[in-house]
Amino acid sequence: MIGAGPVGLYAAYYAGFRGMSVAIIDSLPEPGGQCSALYPEKELFDIAGFPAIKGQALVDGLLAQAQQAHPLWLLGERAEKLETSDTGVEIATDRGTIISAKGLVIAGGIGNFEPRVLEPASRYLGNGLRYFVPRLSELAGQDVVVVGGGDSAVDWALSLEHIAASVTLVHRRDQFRAHEQSLVALGSSSVEVLTPYEVGSVGGEGHLSSVTVVNTADGSSTELAATEVVAALGFIADLGPLQNWGLELAQRRITVDRSMRTNLQRVFAVGDIADFEGKIRIIAVGFAEAATAINHIAPLVNSTWTFSPGHSSDMVK
């Protein structure tokens, strides 16, 4: 499995449900994909069975479900090379890990995506600097500086308002790119907003303890007490090495048929990265695509298995 976003997590569970062993590769250090990285506190309204559910809550449930398959987790590793044959596939990661399997599901979302680095604070990664906030409780009682001007930055600042000891939002422009409703809420919140400012330097012995911000208009600087910095500067996304694997691509997406097969032997693609005529790009559809792909992989793993899964309520534990 390449990709540990919602669709990849469900595919991992479903593979275990069908009796397969599973390895999950993802370039991000945490499972959850875009849900955890971009909108963990956003409510989703199109997930079956939930009138509303926050992105991270959905990921937490999917993660617990995927754990039933006892997957091999290869987080923080990027799939670099792929070889296919009549009998299986072999994937090599950037860390030298080699995985041999009977089939491969690519659930890569928008491809590899990495956070834009906040250079002045980069040495404090893991010691006060973070790019993701999957659980707000981790920042309870902290003096938090959020850097950025998009939806993620504003959402995290607002979500932390009553959890952190203090929240300061720093953006290098006067105008934000967030939704208007969020900006109205920001205006009436206790979050301190500093514009137009950017981070000039960061201090602290071992762990981050202060941030100096510089006014981009007049060059003046202000030092802020801070124990945590959330850098929400956006992400750099690309298909990475997989665009060199010989997959049939259409506008940065992998072309598949109705069984979610790609043009390569034993390789399937699901979720946002997969493309076919009439595709609907919502998470709920991605779940169905994952089940479809896994069921068609089943006979490739074991020739005595059929692609029809039967009913889950009839399965013997």
Side-chain angles (χ1 to χ4, degrees), residues 19 48 57-58 72 135 143 145 161 207 225 229 249 254 265 283 307:
L58 175 64
L72 169 65
R135 292 167 185 82
D143 292 310
V145 173
E161 179 186 6
H207 195 280
V229 170
L249 303 175
I254 302 170
Q265 297 180 90
I283 293 175
F307 72 85

Side-chain angles (χ1 to χ4, degrees), residues 11 62 84 97-98 111 119 123 140 142 155 157 160 177-178 190 248 283 294 308 317:
L62 288 165
T84 65
T97 305
I98 305 293
E119 290 293 352
R123 69 184 185 279
Q142 303 293 318
D155 288 346
L160 288 165
R177 303 183 307 279
S190 62
E248 183 180 336
I283 293 175
I294 294 299
S308 178
K317 295 293 185 184

Side-chain angles (χ1 to χ4, degrees), residues 50-86:
F50 296 95
I53 185 169
K54 289 187 176 181
Q56 189 59 46
L58 175 64
V59 168
D60 289 344
L62 288 165
L63 185 57
Q65 190 178 38
Q67 292 284 29
Q68 297 177 64
H70 306 290
L72 169 65
W73 293 99
L74 298 171
L75 300 177
E77 297 195 36
R78 183 177 63 196
E80 286 282 343
K81 297 179 180 179
L82 170 67
E83 294 184 6
T84 65
S85 70
D86 292 339

Side-chain angles (χ1 to χ4, degrees), residues 116-186:
R116 295 184 185 277
V117 176
L118 181 62
E119 290 293 352
S122 59
R123 69 184 185 279
Y124 289 99
L125 184 61
N127 290 295
L129 171 67
R130 62 178 67 214
Y131 295 99
F132 311 101
V133 190
R135 292 167 185 82
L136 297 175
S137 59
E138 295 176 359
L139 298 181
Q142 303 293 318
D143 292 310
V144 181
V145 173
V146 180
V147 184
D151 285 313
S152 295
V154 174
D155 288 346
W156 277 330
L158 289 172
S159 298
L160 288 165
E161 179 186 6
H162 301 298
I163 295 175
S166 67
V167 181
T168 304
L169 178 60
V170 177
H171 183 39
R172 60 194 179 97
R173 297 189 179 94
D174 289 321
Q175 300 299 317
F176 287 87
R177 303 183 307 279
H179 291 296
E180 184 61 33
Q181 185 176 358
S182 298
L183 295 179
V184 171
L186 181 65

Side-chain angles (χ1 to χ4, degrees), residues 1 7-8 21 27 50 68 72 84 103 112 125 203 230 253 301:
M1 192 78 56
V7 174
S21 59
S27 60
F50 296 95
Q68 297 177 64
L72 169 65
T84 65
N112 292 317
L125 184 61
V230 179
R253 290 189 166 92
V301 174

Side-chain angles (χ1 to χ4, degrees), residues 71-303:
L72 169 65
W73 293 99
L74 298 171
L75 300 177
E77 297 195 36
R78 183 177 63 196
E80 286 282 343
K81 297 179 180 179
L82 170 67
E83 294 184 6
T84 65
S85 70
D86 292 339
T87 58
V89 301
E90 185 175 274
I91 305 102
T93 76
D94 61 337
R95 293 191 178 182
T97 305
I98 305 293
I99 298 292
S100 297
K102 295 294 186 179
L104 170 65
V105 176
I106 302 173
I110 57 175
N112 292 317
F113 71 111
E114 299 179 356
R116 295 184 185 277
V117 176
L118 181 62
E119 290 293 352
S122 59
R123 69 184 185 279
Y124 289 99
L125 184 61
N127 290 295
L129 171 67
R130 62 178 67 214
Y131 295 99
F132 311 101
V133 190
R135 292 167 185 82
L136 297 175
S137 59
E138 295 176 359
L139 298 181
Q142 303 293 318
D143 292 310
V144 181
V145 173
V146 180
V147 184
D151 285 313
S152 295
V154 174
D155 288 346
W156 277 330
L158 289 172
S159 298
L160 288 165
E161 179 186 6
H162 301 298
I163 295 175
S166 67
V167 181
T168 304
L169 178 60
V170 177
H171 183 39
R172 60 194 179 97
R173 297 189 179 94
D174 289 321
Q175 300 299 317
F176 287 87
R177 303 183 307 279
H179 291 296
E180 184 61 33
Q181 185 176 358
S182 298
L183 295 179
V184 171
L186 181 65
S188 60
S189 73
S190 62
V191 174
E192 182 179 5
V193 178
L194 295 180
T195 63
Y197 280 85
E198 62 185 8
V199 175
S201 61
V202 176
E205 294 294 330
H207 195 280
L208 183 150
S209 62
S210 67
V211 175
T212 298
V213 294
V214 179
N215 188 304
T216 60
D218 61 22
S220 61
S221 62
T222 302
E223 184 174 304
L224 309 172
T227 52
E228 295 284 339
V229 170
V230 179
L233 303 175
F235 293 83
I236 302 170
D238 64 68
L239 291 181
L242 71 79
Q243 61 192 328
N244 301 317
W245 292 352
L247 291 160
E248 183 180 336
L249 303 175
Q251 296 183 338
R252 298 184 69 253
R253 290 189 166 92
I254 302 170
T255 302
V256 297
D257 64 16
R258 290 293 180 169
S259 63
M260 312 313 295
R261 282 185 174 89
T262 72
N263 62 303
L264 298 183
Q265 297 180 90
R266 297 174 174 263
V267 179
F268 295 70
V270 299
D272 284 349
I273 204 167
D275 189 57
F276 55 84
E277 185 178 355
K279 168 87 174 189
I280 304 297
R281 300 189 189 285
I282 60 175
I283 293 175
V285 171
F287 292 157
E289 293 173 357
T292 298
I294 294 299
N295 284 322
H296 282 87
I297 287 176
L300 302 177
V301 174
N302 188 324
S303 60

